[in-house]
Amino acid sequence: MLSKLQECLENRQDTGYILPFLWLHGESHELLREEILAIKASGINEFCAESRPYEDFCKDVWWEDFGFILKTARELGMRVWLLDDRKFPTGYANGYLEAPEQVHLRKKQIRERQSEVIGPMRGVKIHAADWLRPEHGERLHSVIAYRHTDGGEGLDSASAIDLTDTLQDGSVYFDAPDGVWRICVTIETDANAPDGRFQYYIDMLNPDSCHAMIDAVYQPHFDHFADYFGNTFRGFFSDEPGFLNRLGSYQSKTGIMFENLPWRADLPALMAESAGMSEAEMRLLLPALWEELGDATTCVRTHYMEVLTQLYRKNFSYLLGDWCRDHGVLYIGHVIEDQGAHMHLGYGAGHYFRALDGQDMAGIDIVLHQDIPGLSDHTHRASLVEGGLAEPAFFRYTLPKLAASHSHIQPLKRGRAMCEIFGAFGWAAGLPFMKGLADIMLCSGINHFVPHAFSPKREDPDCPPHFYNGGKNVQFPLFGGLMGYMERCTHLLYGGIHRADVAVYYNAEGDWSTADYRVFHKICQVLTRDLIDFDILPFDTLRDCAAADGHIRLNGESYGALIVSGSKVLPNDRLECFAALARAGVPVIFTDLLPCRSAEGRDVTHLLSCFELLPLESLTATLRARGLCHVSGEGQGLTHLRFYHVTQEGCEIYAFSNEDIRHNVDALLTLPQSGECLIYDPFQNRLYKSNAPEGKLRLKLEKANLLMVVFDQKSHNGIEKFRHEAERLPLELRFDITVRDENANGFSPFASGSPLFDISAPDRLPHFSGEIRYKTRFGAKEGFTVLDLGEVGETAEVWLNGKYLGARINAPYKFSLRDALREGENELEVLVRANMGHRRRDKLSRFIQIPPSGILGDIALCRYEDLY
């Protein structure tokens, strides 16, 4: 048997896949130890210390408290990570740049202001310096005039006249030719002078500024705790660093009038080199960062972002990552990805892959209602900025694949894909909700998790849920069951070679150009929903990959086509790369739109014949017709069926998840493998055998459930067959019901001989948070060996005739009775733990529906038959 599967069955799986946040505020060592023990009791052996709520970070009391945390973790056989700054987001460097002697390390930016001149007129005078804010030490960079091409915003780049050298006493002089001219004044400025929030954050364009993170945070921790580095202390976590040139927006881009943009003095030279033009030409075109200068616009904007994101990767990501690896620890974290921010400035880092290239895990987060299990078809409200909307095409079908793809294609990642998860959903996010999110991530290729969060501060209002809450989280006793489930899933999948069908291009350049283009996450959505798996590949990877037998070959991965979202303009080197792949036999398919020119303004007609153009709605049918898929099916529920396939120890492993929380999947799948196989239920930790004759696997997957299918070419004698529900016998039962409020020591009678009802109904206990115990009796019926409780709010544990039958934290709430069922009458006891959102009505819980409390039914006994 597959060794990892055997380890899971024996509960010997690795436990290094889960590292929750531990929020720190300066609590007593007694409370810290209690919270760490709660983490340990959940089956978790690593955690990440969250430093930002700790006001005295890197002061004497911090060294004492963090030393205690490390010592306690070592005693308990646990490992510790550290979130790497005192303020959100990472990049404050513990205030290092606030010191007057570090002013040279603070960020520089550039902005533009304009005025219009009507010609012809000789000796026009423009007070260019009046745009400056002297109190912020601003400097004029250039003054350039362009003729308007029409009545709109268009300017003629060829008409550029540099007026900078005419500057005298703050004014420039211009003999304006005929026409309407725009005078573009570009100004170098200190960072964020109007709001000041990010003015002391490091400058991603300046390696000396980025080194402040090491000087102020990383090196001091090594100096204090070197003996823990590489053993108890595992590494540092950067949380959402970015360019931070604008406050409060994910949409900071070039092309936005009056936008402050990141800057350093040699950018024109670097941009010119990147674009293949002279520095003098680039300087004349620099206002295209804001203005519409015809075809020159895309060149300037694209190569500005090209240079900035390369500098970010080198100066920040690799600087910190290399330091960590040199000191025996790892560097992990993530950037803000929301609403396209992963390709933008502001809160963004400009390019997802470049921003994380220096890290040892690929990372994302799913927080703030970005994804809600059951909402895969609808854009929904979420507690996000920028309109408060979350689009499943991105958050469900694209974002997790960014991290998984990066882990597959970059050797440094060693297959590690991390997701910060569960945070800031509110107390209403109970265990069923969490499992739903976890399943989405697991079947997207995520294999490391940072659950958010444990907090020793009682009833901490900061971004709940908090999993222990001083023992007041009534679902905490079953939280360890969810963690064990996630560990078993990741253990079985991690380290395998992912099997994809095609590659999707990471089209940051289409976005950077600000020309017409189609977002690539729509491609990710339609592929996923038609059971075609993929990775997302950036240009830096494609440029160096090999092509053979009509496939892209990369770090053990293989892709049968490259899908590019429609783009009017792309850089010339990207198009040349795509054409080279096409000439090597790899289909290169653009959806909806072919390029009409390169970003540099070059004719690309000779390249277009290498590419195919397809409407997005025809994409998956075309790929299937060409055999560019390896899983297909027919039957019920396939739209909500997800899969993830790896080769592990010579075995083929499929994770199948039904993301529908209301309906079952009943389908006949066609797979490349055939014959006898194993079906593994990672939540129950049970193994069954099944069969896929001629590659046809009958899959019956109940709502909100995940199963693993393993083809291992081994004998499966002695393993029971996988069975499915064949018949239901409804039970009309009445219960004696007792309840225990979370603040009570024991249970109190609530109802006797009662039918089922919602405990938290308006006329019952609408603020209830606690446990509900049900007791009843029922008669056995031959062959009916499974009890289905029906709908439950929210977790259920079952005892039959005094024997514990286990726990379920989500549907289906089914329990095998075989080991405890007896002829005649049987005594049934069920313990339900309610959702805490009924009592804790925090603002984050407003975005999630809160389920009823207790057993709602319909209760039935079920008879099972062999599936094949």
Side-chain angles (χ1 to χ4, degrees):
M1 183 183 295
L2 176 68
S3 64
K4 283 197 168 189
L5 181 55
Q6 188 67 48
E7 289 162 359
C8 289
L9 291 168
E10 297 172 2
N11 286 308
R12 295 188 294 110
Q13 70 274 1
D14 290 342
T15 58
Y17 306 113
I18 299 177
L19 46 140
F21 280 142
L22 172 62
W23 288 58
L24 304 175
H25 313 82
E27 286 83 5
S28 69
H29 289 185
E30 180 182 8
L31 281 177
L32 288 175
R33 183 175 180 84
E34 180 184 348
E35 203 73 19
I36 293 171
L37 287 172
I39 297 173
K40 181 74 173 179
S42 303
I44 302 170
N45 285 316
E46 299 190 14
F47 59 90
C48 182
E50 225 291 14
S51 56
R52 291 172 302 193
Y54 195 103
E55 293 184 1
D56 294 318
F57 182 61
C58 289
K59 295 180 181 179
D60 288 346
V61 66
W62 168 260
W63 303 124
E64 180 182 348
D65 285 352
F66 195 60
F68 172 80
I69 289 170
L70 289 170
K71 181 175 181 292
T72 301
R74 176 172 283 181
E75 291 172 354
L76 296 172
M78 302 176 75
R79 296 195 289 186
V80 180
W81 301 75
L82 176 63
L83 203 143
D84 64 355
D85 217 336
R86 180 158 61 93
K87 287 187 178 182
F88 171 83
T90 286
Y92 179 63
N94 196 32
Y96 187 88
L97 272 62
E98 290 191 20
E101 61 269 23
Q102 307 301 344
V103 66
H104 63 290
L105 298 179
R106 296 175 191 168
K107 292 186 292 184
K108 299 294 183 284
Q109 296 179 349
I110 194 168
R111 63 188 183 93
E112 188 219 34
R113 294 297 183 268
Q114 318 83 18
S115 61
E116 313 301 326
V117 168
I118 304 168
M121 180 179 289
R122 298 179 64 184
V124 176
K125 182 178 183 179
I126 301 101
H127 295 313
D130 286 0
W131 290 113
L132 299 177
R133 295 173 300 199
E135 69 274 18
H136 297 302
E138 293 186 335
R139 305 155 298 280
L140 278 174
H141 176 266
S142 65
V143 183
I144 303 174
Y146 304 92
R147 190 195 307 270
H148 275 271
T149 58
D150 52 37
E153 289 292 304
L155 304 175
D156 179 10
S157 62
S159 70
I161 301 174
D162 191 345
L163 304 177
T164 311
D165 291 342
T166 74
L167 184 66
Q168 297 182 42
D169 191 27
S171 299
V172 294
Y173 296 85
F174 182 31
D175 290 337
D178 186 35
V180 178
W181 295 77
R182 175 163 292 177
I183 311 302
C184 298
V185 181
T186 54
I187 302 164
E188 294 180 2
T189 181
D190 294 331
N192 303 293
D195 59 66
R197 176 178 170 188
F198 295 135
Q199 62 179 320
Y200 300 125
Y201 275 68
I202 59 172
D203 179 3
M204 297 301 183
L205 307 186
N206 181 346
D208 294 333
S209 182
C210 291
H211 205 278
M213 288 294 301
I214 294 174
D215 296 336
V217 179
Y218 287 54
Q219 187 65 44
H221 280 85
F222 182 75
D223 293 341
H224 281 83
F225 305 116
D227 289 346
Y228 289 96
F229 269 56
N231 44 80
T232 302
F233 184 67
R234 190 96 193 272
F236 291 93
F237 186 113
S238 280
D239 194 39
E240 301 182 349
F243 286 108
L244 303 179
N245 55 290
R246 198 214 304 182
L247 175 67
S249 176
Y250 300 154
Q251 302 304 320
S252 178
K253 301 173 64 174
T254 60
I256 298 176
M257 200 61 69
F258 309 128
E259 188 83 337
N260 282 20
L261 298 175
W263 183 251
R264 75 182 211 183
D266 62 346
L267 277 184
L270 296 174
M271 293 164 61
E273 181 181 1
S274 178
M277 64 172 62
S278 71
E279 182 178 349
E281 290 174 307
M282 181 59 73
R283 287 186 178 276
L284 275 180
L285 298 175
L286 196 64
L289 293 174
W290 304 270
E291 307 285 353
E292 295 295 331
L293 297 184
D295 289 353
T297 306
T298 57
C299 180
V300 173
R301 294 175 183 177
T302 300
H303 288 282
Y304 174 77
M305 292 298 298
E306 176 79 357
V307 169
L308 259 59
T309 54
Q310 296 277 15
L311 290 171
Y312 187 113
R313 171 168 59 185
K314 177 182 177 182
N315 296 341
F316 181 76
S317 183
Y318 267 107
L319 176 74
L320 297 185
D322 287 344
W323 186 93
C324 286
R325 288 181 285 275
D326 288 345
H327 290 75
V329 296
L330 302 181
Y331 175 49
I332 64 173
H334 73 100
V335 296
I336 287 186
E337 309 94 0
D338 309 12
Q339 323 293 58
H342 59 97
M343 301 184 292
H344 297 163
L345 300 170
Y347 276 133
H351 191 287
Y352 175 84
F353 292 91
R354 290 176 179 174
L356 299 185
D357 268 351
Q359 297 192 351
D360 294 287
M361 295 184 190
I364 60 167
D365 74 353
I366 292 291
V367 296
L368 292 166
H369 317 99
Q370 292 168 340
D371 198 351
I372 294 178
L375 282 177
S376 57
D377 300 320
H378 302 87
T379 297
H380 59 268
R381 294 292 171 183
S383 51
L384 300 169
V385 299
E386 305 285 333
L389 291 174
E391 185 182 3
F394 177 69
F395 288 112
R396 171 72 60 88
Y397 298 111
T398 303
L399 179 54
K401 297 295 282 188
L402 285 172
S405 301
H406 206 181
S407 77
H408 299 153
I409 64 179
Q410 192 200 30
L412 179 62
K413 300 292 182 286
R414 299 186 181 180
R416 294 176 289 223
M418 177 273 293
C419 179
E420 179 189 331
I421 195 168
F422 308 146
F425 279 90
W427 288 108
L431 290 178
F433 189 97
M434 294 181 195
K435 182 181 180 296
L437 281 179
D439 286 352
I440 293 167
M441 298 301 113
L442 287 163
C443 277
S444 299
I446 300 296
N447 50 43
H448 286 72
F449 295 90
V450 180
H452 185 313
F454 282 86
S455 175
K457 182 178 181 179
R458 302 310 188 229
E459 300 298 329
D460 192 346
D462 193 352
C463 298
H466 300 292
F467 308 126
Y468 180 62
N469 193 33
K472 288 294 185 67
N473 189 325
V474 297
Q475 294 186 359
F476 175 73
L478 300 182
F479 180 75
L482 173 61
M483 296 299 100
Y485 163 78
M486 293 165 63
E487 285 175 345
R488 288 189 289 274
C489 290
T490 52
H491 186 67
L492 194 54
L493 296 172
Y494 176 64
I497 298 296
H498 168 237
R499 299 304 183 192
D501 297 306
V502 298
V504 174
Y505 183 62
Y506 180 71
N507 197 358
E509 298 86 352
D511 187 84
W512 295 346
S513 74
T514 66
D516 185 20
Y517 97 108
R518 309 291 187 266
V519 291
F520 65 90
H521 58 250
K522 298 291 187 182
I523 297 172
C524 301
Q525 181 181 40
V526 300
L527 291 175
T528 304
R529 290 172 71 89
D530 202 13
L531 295 175
I532 298 178
D533 198 13
F534 60 91
D535 274 335
I536 303 168
L537 306 187
F539 170 68
D540 300 331
T541 296
L542 283 171
R543 177 181 52 202
D544 301 323
C545 72
D549 302 322
H551 283 68
I552 297 170
R553 308 288 186 185
L554 179 64
N555 198 35
E557 298 280 340
S558 175
Y559 313 99
L562 177 67
I563 317 299
V564 186
S565 58
S567 305
K568 184 177 181 180
V569 174
L570 286 172
N572 192 72
D573 57 354
R574 274 62 167 176
L575 294 172
E576 292 282 5
C577 174
F578 299 161
L581 290 172
R583 295 185 189 110
V586 178
V588 177
I589 301 170
F590 279 78
T591 57
D592 297 329
L593 179 68
L594 279 174
C596 65
R597 59 179 175 84
S598 75
E600 299 80 10
R602 300 178 191 173
D603 179 30
V604 297
T605 306
H606 64 292
L607 300 177
L608 298 184
S609 62
C610 298
F611 311 140
E612 301 178 49
L613 177 65
L614 283 176
L616 180 59
E617 57 267 25
S618 302
L619 177 62
T620 58
T622 301
L623 295 176
R624 287 200 171 279
R626 298 181 184 181
L628 292 175
C629 62
H630 70 287
V631 175
S632 59
E634 54 185 25
Q636 170 188 316
L638 288 174
T639 301
H640 297 286
L641 179 66
R642 294 285 297 273
F643 82 94
Y644 185 73
H645 174 201
V646 300
T647 301
Q648 184 88 267
E649 300 177 26
C651 303
E652 304 300 324
I653 306 172
Y654 293 83
F656 288 105
S657 173
N658 179 8
E659 293 182 357
D660 195 326
I661 65 173
R662 289 289 177 259
H663 304 97
N664 297 340
V665 168
D666 186 352
L668 186 65
L669 300 182
T670 301
L671 305 176
Q673 297 77 29
S674 62
E676 197 169 75
C677 59
L678 297 172
I679 292 184
Y680 175 58
D681 181 341
F683 189 85
Q684 300 289 349
N685 201 18
R686 297 287 300 272
L687 189 64
Y688 308 90
K689 65 179 178 180
S690 188
N691 200 8
E694 299 181 349
K696 303 294 184 180
L697 176 70
R698 178 77 181 278
L699 182 67
K700 300 195 74 165
L701 188 54
E702 297 194 77
K703 58 188 179 182
N705 208 6
L706 181 150
L707 294 172
M708 306 276 197
V709 177
V710 180
F711 291 88
D712 63 356
Q713 304 301 316
K714 302 287 179 63
S715 172
H716 303 139
N717 292 334
I719 300 175
E720 64 178 299
K721 289 184 177 182
F722 188 73
R723 313 179 85 213
H724 73 105
E725 181 185 305
E727 186 179 357
R728 296 175 66 85
L729 177 65
L731 293 180
E732 298 293 336
L733 302 177
R734 291 184 172 266
F735 294 86
D736 294 332
I737 304 172
T738 56
V739 298
R740 185 189 71 81
D741 186 87
E742 65 176 47
N743 294 312
N745 292 325
F747 285 83
S748 301
F750 192 74
S752 179
S754 172
L756 297 173
F757 59 89
D758 174 12
I759 295 289
S760 55
D763 59 342
R764 303 286 185 167
L765 300 174
H767 293 265
F768 181 73
S769 174
E771 301 170 337
I772 311 159
R773 178 176 290 158
Y774 296 81
K775 291 186 177 181
T776 191
R777 297 171 179 269
F778 69 91
K781 181 174 175 60
E782 185 177 358
F784 288 78
T785 58
V786 173
L787 174 70
D788 185 355
L789 294 177
E791 185 178 350
V792 176
E794 185 163 50
T795 69
E797 295 173 84
V798 170
W799 291 259
L800 186 66
N801 300 319
K803 182 169 184 176
Y804 185 62
L805 301 185
R808 291 290 305 186
I809 64 171
N810 75 310
Y813 293 91
K814 289 186 172 182
F815 298 83
S816 174
L817 307 176
R818 286 187 299 178
D819 295 337
L821 192 65
R822 61 193 182 200
E823 293 184 10
E825 196 169 61
N826 289 264
E827 297 179 358
L828 175 68
E829 180 179 339
V830 182
L831 181 67
V832 173
R833 301 175 191 272
N835 186 291
M836 296 175 67
H838 292 288
R839 174 167 297 172
R840 290 165 176 81
R841 302 185 178 191
D842 62 289
K843 62 182 181 180
L844 294 168
S845 292
R846 293 177 296 188
F847 294 88
I848 302 176
Q849 64 192 58
I850 303 174
S853 298
I855 304 174
L856 280 302
D858 297 321
I859 299 178
L861 290 174
C862 304
R863 183 176 63 82
Y864 272 59
E865 293 179 350
D866 292 348
L867 187 60
Y868 64 93

